[in-house]
Structure formats: C-alpha cells, structure tokens
Amino acid sequence: MKTAEPNSLSQTQTVSLPVSGMTCAACAARIERVLKRADGVGEANVNFANEQATVTFDPSRTNESAIGDVIRDSGYDVRQAPPAGSEVAEQDWEQKERDAEVRDIWKKLFVALLFGIPTAVLGMAHFTFPGVNWFQFLLSTPVVIYSGRQFYAGAWSALRHRAADMNTLVALGTGAAYLYSAVATIAPQFVTGPIAHDHSAPVYFEAAAVIIALLLVGRLLEAKAKARTGDAIRGLIKLEAKTARVMRNGLETDIPVEQVAVGDLIQVRPGEKIPVDGVVRSGESAVDEAMLTGESLPVEKRSGDNVFGATMNQTGAFQFEATRVGSDTALQRIIRLVQNAQGSKAPIQRMADVVSGIFVPVVLIIAIAAFVGWYDLAPADARLQQALVAFVSVLIIACPCALGLATPTAIMVGTGKGAAGGILIKGGESLETAHKITTVILDKTGTITNGKPEVTDTISLGSLSKDDLLRLAAAAERSSEHPLGQAIVRAALSRELAVPQASQFRSITGRGLEATVDGRTIIVGNARLMLERAIETSALQPHVQRFAAAGKTPMLVAIDGHAAGVVAVADTIKAGSAEAVKLLHGMGLDVIMMTGDNKETAAAIARQAGIEHVMAEVLPEHKAAGVRRLQNGQSFDTRYAEPETRSSELGIPPNRQIVAMVGDGINDAPALAQADIGIAIGSGADIAMEASDITLIRSDLRGVVSAIQLSRATMRTIKQNLFFAFIYNVLGIPIAAGVLYPFWHIMLSPMLASAAMALSSVSVVTNSLRLRNARL
C-alpha cells in the first residue's frame, strides 16, 4: 500500500512504495544504495520481507514518480495501487497481488514438476539407452527456460548494475549444470573427447531441473508464509465500515464512508459499525470497542462521549458528529503506525545487511575455489564432474535468503501481534530497544491513577447518615465547577441519591463554598474556612489527618454552623496498576514514579501501587531533565527531587540506564521524547502519542509489561533466526565444497543443497510466525 505523509519538522515527505522483483536481502540492499544516491532522497529503507521501500525525500527536488523510476532503473518494479474507491481497492489489492504471485509460482512449479520428475528419474536411475541424454535435454529445457526464467532475468539485471545476489548464485549453479550437460549431449567430444556412444557422456540435466523445482517449492512456501505476516494489517483494514448513514437536508442518506466530511451528522442503529470517529450528539448506546482497546465489555456512550470508527454499536441508536475522517481516524492512524513499524529495521538487522552485502561475492570465490580444487585433485576421469558438482552445490546452498528474512519477518509478526493486543510500536528500533530497558519511570496522574478525583470516604457525625451527608454536600456543590466538587456530585448520582436544588450559592475562592439546601445552610470547604466561620471541627481532625496522610483531600462539611462530617476525595489508582508494578519488578526492572504532586500525595499513591522510589514536585519543564539524569546515573537537581538524593539511593546503579518513560499528558511529551523508549497511554493527548515510541491503546499499565514481554520474545526469535541462518551457511558451504569427502566420502549433491536452502528460508519465516502465539 502506498502511503505518503509530510514531516513538518524538516519539510520533507515520506513515501512507502510496494516493490516487486526482489528475491533476497541483497536485492533490498542494492535498491537502498541506489535510492540513497538519488537526488533529493534523504533516507531510504527497503524491507525484503514486506516488499516495501520507505523513502524520505525533499519534495522541492524530487517526487514519488521520480523515486519509482529510480527503483525501476535498478531492475525492479513498483506496483501501482488502483484508484481509491475502486472495487479492487476495496477488496484489498495487495492481497490480490500476493494471490497472483502465488498463482504464477504454481504455474511454473507445475511445469517444473511435469518435466523435471521424469528427467530426475532418468538421470538418477542411470538408464543407458541410445538417445537418453537427448531425451533429458528435451525434458529439462522447458524447466530451465520457463520455470527458471525469473532467476536468470534477475541475475542479468544484477549483472547490468555490477552487483550479485541470490539470483546470481542460482543462475550460475543451474546454468552451469544445464550448459555443461547440453554441451555433453550436443558435442560430447568437447567434454570427454572422441567417444562411441553419446550416452557415455555424464550429464546433470536432472540437477538443473530438480534444483529449479525445489527452489520454486521454497519460493511458494515462502510467499505464503510472508503473506501471513501481513495478516494484522489486512485484519485491521477489513474492520472498516463501507458506508455511513448521513443526515442531509433532514433525510438519512447512505453514502460511501470515503465521502463523509468533518461535521456531518451520522445516524447509527443497533448492530451497525460506526463508520468514522466522532462525538455523540443525541441518543445512548453501548459500543463494543474490543477491536480498538481489547476491552471485552461494551462501553456506555452518551451525549458528549467520543466514538471511534470500526467499533460495533450494540444496543441503542444514536447520532454523532464526525470529527475525524479518512486517514485521520483512529483506525487509520493505527494501520499507518503498524505499516511504518513493519517496514522499519531494527539495529540488529544492520549486521545481517552487512553480511548479506559481502556474502554473494565471498560465495562466488569459494565456489570457484572448490571447482579449481576438485579439478586439480580429483581423478582425471571424474575431475570435471566432481568440480562441477562442488561448484553448483556451493552456489545453491549459500543462497542468503534465510539471512535476509531473519529480522524483518520477526519484526512484522511482532508488531502485528502488538497491534492486535492494543500495543502500537513505531518501528523495529523501538521494538529492539524495549527489551534492554532497565528502568521504568511512571507519571502519576492519568497513568498510575485514573486522572480524575473520586470520593473515597465519607464520615458523618451524630445521627446524620453518610448518604444524607453526601446528598447535602452534592446539592451545595452542584453549581460549582471545581473538580473536587464535581467528584462529590458524581458520587451522589452514582448512588442514585436524590440531590435537591440549592439556593443562595456563594463560592469562597481558595476555601470552599456556601449554599442553602432544604432551608439549611451548608458549608463545604477546607479547615481554613471552618476556622473563619468559628465552626468547631476537633471531632473531625483525626479523620482529616488520616486522609491527608493517605494522599486524599479532606473536604469538611458543616450544617447550620455545626461540623457534620468530612468527605475525602482522591485521584485513585487504576485497576491493574499495582499488578503491573509487581510484574515489572518481577522482570528485574526498577520502577520510579515521577510527578508534580506534593510529596505526601505522591508517597501515598506510590505505597498503593507498590512503588518504592518517588520523584515528587517535579515541574513539567524538568521531567525531561529527570529522565536524562537517570539515563546518566547522575544526582538529581534539588528543584525536583529531595536534596542530596542520588541514583544509587534510589536503588539504581550509577551508570548508564536504559529508561522507559510512561505518560499520557502534553507535559509528558518532552520526557517521552528524551527517554530511550517513550510509552504513551492511548487515552492521553495526541502530542504525547506522537512523541512516544510505543502507544498503549488501553489505559492500562499492564500494557507496559506486555510491550516489554513482546520485545523480549521478538528479539529472542530474531536471534534464533540469525543463528539458524548463520549456522546453516557455516556448516552447509564447507560440506557442499567437499571438505568431508576425503574422510567419509560425503559429497552434497546439488539437489540436496537446493532442498536445504529452500527449507532454511521456510524455517526462518515459520519460526517468526510462532510469535503470533506469544502470550502477552
């Protein structure tokens, strides 16, 4: 899928183009080199696994069309997406491209098997009858010319650009076997000298035919497996609604979702998908947001609540105003993040890229050395045959496909798995760095806590019940806009208390309020207000002190000049926060809470969450500096930490730390950007999500644990893949060259070499696909 987006910081643009014709990592590396040399291109990244070229360029010097021409000039092609809104586009054209590729491979494989199997039977059974070589020649030629055409065309393209890749190895190996055999058939005297019968000249037609067939089998399995790594993207795309019921001129009109505009009023009935993002204007319902948040329970929606495209309306009907359409919807942003992540590279891949870049020339040297060695050392009557077998086997078994697929396939599956679980990872580098994290810094408000005050305790004096106290306090606070007062109102309404109307409401700035409810004078406020009104509150002081020590805000209530009780309000911790902190500790990570709140409140929340280390009273502009000092193992500035507090006193070694910062607010954005890994809570501000490396769609800290676990599982898979790829070549090339022959007479045949090569690529992709079953 082709995507383009501007980069406002550098006035550059980034485009992702689908590239066809790549057969190994060396192809991707060659396209990268060509693109980076092109005028106006700042950065280029070509991913062999998902066949995408991501290019950052200066639009004043080049454009998408010119970049596509550069790729075509290098011997590859850029697939063109059909126009938006067309039938093909709606049915996932990329999947159609994949299906067409699989069908093409099937056709070539059918021809290879139809003619290759009898060729192999004749050659391996050593039938000797007049014309047997000519019969094999006729059978194998369609296999080489039709089924193997793509390998030879790719090798020629690489040669024209003074490069070598997997096609070079295959073309040289099978071409050498086929041409040698053709010469031995047509003019055997050039191979063995004058002979009486043409069938006495050794031929290797079966090797060329079977190698091509096995390579196509591997290519088929690889194409199918690679297609499965993109299931996450296709699954997200299929979630989109196709039409929207828009209110226009007082009538309901069904239109394609692409035509919905910001500001349109859209009607949604029970059982329908919500087409775009918006705000409910009328009606009520429960919406299944599991595809977005992973939350299994439907979410109640009323007027003023946000709704998101592709979520499923459950019970009621409602009308909402579209606020984000097209590529701006939450689903499209998720798709874009996952696409960018799957097309990116992890730092560990640089090693594989370097090796792949020099691998093919080294293999060619080894293959030539093996040919020369066997030609010199083997018996005179078999030296050409032995030399040719070694040459072809080395070229075939050394194909670097497994090496090129090791890292990108794991990243594709890992990021797709994360997206399915509500974890959006921006790129391979973020995915790799996350497994190295040593310290996790957590913001308090909105991250550990729910981000809004709630009533936690109610204490009443005398015969007044707690519900009556809350009811009267809520009536007085109903006209207040203060967040603590609104928390009292919400608590009374949630308990279904009948809250009467208040009169003579008067707000007393910085201290509280006064109002008349049911003919009684109600005062709600702090201790200072009670003191000013000469209200005796000694009976409430033990409760006030206990609440304050717990980080709660005590709000005293007086009725007709007498203390009536106290209501405690606090920003409570989220369900799962304490469990997440415990799991992070269990993973061997240090956990620190950094907040702008006072030390008493911060300490109380930290105790509830199980956090030992706290940085309190940190100003927003100092949060990034706090992260930086932790990264460097330095002492903390007294402006935002306790005097003389050092990292060692927080339980953190005085050396370089890999720090993850978790936050949700605008004031967290600098700290998220400063951290080695910034993790944004999805319900937070857009700017925090943009500054972060990982976004948790759900506002649940357990997602931090899952993200780190996913990173560790992905890196473990990448290392396994690289080990398999390296060890396969390290062991396979010497055996193919014949180093074991002098000792045990073991010589790897070209056919076995091709089978091993194909299986190595498939094994790497299959190992990566196991990540889809990882438990997060």
Side-chain angles (χ1 to χ4, degrees):
M1 180 177 292
K2 184 176 76 171
T3 60
E5 53 187 280
N7 184 328
S8 58
L9 294 179
S10 59
Q11 299 302 315
T12 61
Q13 290 185 358
T14 299
V15 63
S16 292
L17 299 172
V19 180
S20 61
M22 292 190 295
T23 54
C24 68
C27 299
R30 183 162 73 252
I31 298 173
E32 275 189 12
R33 288 194 299 270
V34 173
L35 285 171
K36 289 177 180 178
R37 291 196 298 264
D39 180 56
V41 173
E43 187 60 43
N45 175 29
V46 181
N47 190 312
F48 170 51
N50 68 357
E51 299 177 332
Q52 292 279 332
T54 304
V55 185
T56 301
F57 63 95
D58 181 351
S60 65
R61 298 168 58 191
T62 187
N63 53 49
E64 294 176 28
S65 177
I67 292 171
D69 290 339
V70 170
I71 295 175
R72 294 184 185 93
D73 290 342
S74 65
Y76 302 89
D77 196 15
V78 177
R79 298 192 303 270
Q80 295 296 320
S86 69
E87 182 180 356
V88 177
E90 292 174 358
Q91 295 179 1
D92 188 2
W93 69 275
E94 283 193 340
Q95 183 60 39
K96 285 185 170 292
E97 291 279 336
R98 294 281 190 186
D99 293 342
E101 179 186 3
V102 170
R103 286 194 300 271
D104 182 60
I105 296 175
W106 265 120
K107 292 177 184 176
K108 292 176 180 176
L109 178 59
F110 175 77
V111 172
L113 294 175
L114 179 65
F115 295 102
I117 289 176
T119 305
V121 171
L122 289 174
M124 298 175 71
H126 300 290
F127 287 113
T128 54
F129 58 86
V132 65
N133 286 3
W134 279 99
F135 195 55
Q136 292 184 68
F137 172 68
L138 294 174
L139 286 172
S140 62
T141 298
V143 179
V144 173
I145 293 177
Y146 173 70
S147 301
R149 180 179 56 191
Q150 63 193 76
F151 302 115
Y152 303 110
W156 173 247
S157 175
L159 180 62
R160 287 194 301 111
H161 292 86
R162 297 186 299 277
D165 58 15
M166 171 262 197
N167 290 311
T168 306
L169 301 182
V170 173
L172 283 174
T174 59
Y178 176 80
L179 291 175
Y180 166 84
S181 302
V183 171
T185 300
I186 299 170
Q189 65 274 15
F190 289 108
V191 176
T192 61
I195 55 174
H197 302 286
D198 62 358
H199 64 267
S200 62
V203 293
Y204 296 96
F205 288 119
E206 80 281 0
V210 174
I211 286 171
I212 289 174
L214 288 172
L215 289 173
L216 289 172
V217 170
R219 185 70 61 84
L220 179 65
L221 295 175
E222 184 182 306
K224 287 186 173 182
K226 283 166 63 178
R228 291 172 64 193
T229 62
D231 284 348
I233 291 287
R234 283 187 291 276
L236 289 171
I237 291 174
K238 289 177 181 177
L239 291 173
E240 292 182 299
K242 303 301 181 187
T243 61
R245 185 173 293 108
V246 179
M247 302 296 297
R248 291 184 177 174
N249 301 321
L251 299 174
E252 293 183 3
T253 304
D254 287 339
I255 63 173
V257 71
E258 295 85 2
Q259 297 179 15
V260 176
V262 172
D264 278 343
L265 289 178
I266 301 171
Q267 184 74 27
V268 182
R269 296 172 181 169
E272 293 182 341
K273 277 186 180 179
I274 297 171
V276 296
D277 296 0
V279 178
V280 177
R281 294 306 182 203
S282 63
E284 296 182 1
S285 185
V287 176
D288 181 359
E289 296 183 343
M291 55 72 56
L292 189 68
T293 65
E295 178 59 55
S296 58
L297 296 177
V299 181
E300 296 294 328
K301 298 293 182 179
R302 298 181 177 87
S303 179
D305 289 340
N306 292 321
V307 291
F308 303 97
T311 56
M312 182 67 72
N313 184 31
Q314 295 283 294
T315 55
F318 62 90
Q319 192 176 88
F320 75 96
E321 179 184 348
T323 56
R324 290 186 176 186
V325 300
S327 61
D328 291 332
T329 64
L331 179 63
Q332 281 295 330
R333 292 164 70 198
I334 291 171
I335 291 172
R336 193 157 59 247
L337 278 171
V338 177
Q339 285 175 329
N340 292 341
Q342 291 190 339
S344 66
K345 288 186 179 181
I348 195 172
Q349 189 173 340
R350 294 170 189 159
M351 175 180 63
D353 288 345
V354 170
V355 172
S356 295
I358 63 175
F359 192 75
V360 174
V362 170
V363 168
L364 288 173
I365 294 172
I366 294 174
I368 293 170
F371 182 91
V372 172
W374 279 106
Y375 194 85
D376 288 341
L377 299 176
D381 59 342
R383 60 185 183 183
L384 183 57
Q385 292 80 10
Q386 290 278 68
L388 183 64
V389 167
F391 177 76
V392 173
S393 296
V394 169
L395 291 176
I396 297 302
I397 203 168
C399 178
C401 289
L403 193 60
L405 291 169
T407 299
T409 52
I411 289 175
M412 288 178 67
V413 178
T415 51
K417 174 70 176 179
I423 303 167
L424 303 182
I425 302 169
K426 283 192 175 178
E429 185 170 359
S430 301
L431 189 63
E432 178 174 343
T433 304
H435 93 286
K436 303 176 185 176
I437 290 170
T438 58
T439 302
V440 178
I441 302 177
L442 303 176
D443 176 50
K444 181 182 78 70
T445 306
T447 301
I448 298 174
T449 66
N450 287 300
K452 63 180 181 180
E454 298 176 2
V455 172
T456 59
D457 304 89
T458 306
I459 302 295
S460 62
L461 300 179
S463 60
L464 188 70
S465 70
K466 292 181 179 181
D467 281 352
D468 282 339
L469 177 73
L470 187 62
R471 183 177 65 85
L472 293 172
E477 292 282 6
R478 203 163 195 172
S479 299
S480 171
E481 296 181 355
H482 196 283
L484 299 182
Q486 290 301 305
I488 293 177
V489 175
R490 286 196 302 271
L493 295 176
S494 67
R495 299 181 192 181
E496 299 183 350
L497 301 179
V499 180
Q501 290 292 327
S503 61
Q504 299 179 346
F505 172 84
R506 186 165 69 94
S507 175
I508 305 170
T509 305
R511 296 187 289 281
L513 58 82
E514 181 179 5
T516 299
V517 180
D518 292 342
R520 291 183 284 185
T521 300
I522 310 296
I523 297 175
V524 183
N526 54 25
R528 180 182 173 186
L529 178 59
M530 299 299 166
L531 182 63
E532 290 177 354
R533 298 300 176 89
I535 297 173
E536 175 59 45
T537 60
S538 57
L540 296 175
Q541 286 308 307
H543 303 294
V544 170
Q545 293 172 5
R546 175 166 57 87
F547 293 148
K552 302 174 183 179
T553 301
M555 300 178 68
L556 285 72
V557 182
I559 301 177
D560 293 332
H562 299 283
V566 60
V567 178
V569 179
D571 183 9
T572 57
I573 70 169
K574 296 177 181 177
S577 290
E579 180 187 352
V581 171
K582 182 178 179 180
L583 291 171
L584 290 171
H585 283 149
M587 297 168 71
L589 303 177
D590 293 301
V591 182
I592 299 173
M593 184 173 76
M594 182 164 62
T595 177
D597 274 358
N598 62 68
K599 296 176 184 177
E600 291 77 14
T601 301
I605 294 296
R607 283 194 298 271
Q608 295 177 51
I611 299 173
E612 298 177 4
H613 312 304
V614 181
M615 297 171 64
E617 301 177 5
V618 183
L619 297 176
E621 60 267 29
H622 293 152
K623 285 189 175 183
V627 173
R628 187 162 52 249
R629 288 176 178 272
L630 273 173
Q631 289 172 325
N632 297 331
Q634 298 174 345
S635 61
F636 299 123
D637 193 294
T638 56
R639 289 173 297 174
Y640 50 89
E642 296 180 7
E644 303 303 321
T645 299
R646 297 180 181 274
S647 57
S648 57
E649 294 174 25
L650 284 175
I652 299 177
N655 51 31
R656 175 73 168 91
Q657 297 295 302
I658 307 299
V659 178
M661 172 70 196
V662 186
D664 75 322
I666 291 176
N667 61 356
D668 295 323
L672 290 169
Q674 171 63 40
D676 298 282
I677 290 293
I679 304 177
I681 298 292
S683 61
D686 285 352
I687 191 171
M689 296 172 67
E690 291 297 327
S692 66
D693 303 292
I694 298 174
T695 297
L696 307 179
I697 298 178
R698 296 179 63 182
S699 298
D700 190 333
L701 274 183
R702 285 172 290 195
V704 177
V705 179
S706 297
I708 297 174
Q709 289 175 335
L710 177 63
S711 172
R712 292 182 175 182
T714 303
M715 288 308 301
R716 188 162 54 245
T717 299
I718 289 174
K719 290 174 181 177
Q720 290 170 353
N721 288 348
L722 289 174
F723 173 79
F724 291 145
F726 277 124
I727 201 68
Y728 158 80
N729 283 310
V730 168
L731 296 178
I733 292 175
I735 295 174
V739 296
L740 300 182
Y741 189 83
F743 307 101
W744 296 288
H745 292 280
I746 296 176
M747 194 77 178
L748 193 65
S749 74
M751 285 181 289
L752 289 178
S754 62
M757 185 277 290
L759 289 175
S760 70
S761 297
V762 174
S763 66
V764 164
V765 178
T766 303
N767 190 48
S768 296
L769 289 172
R770 291 193 307 114
L771 277 171
R772 300 195 304 177
N773 301 320
R775 298 185 62 182
L776 302 179

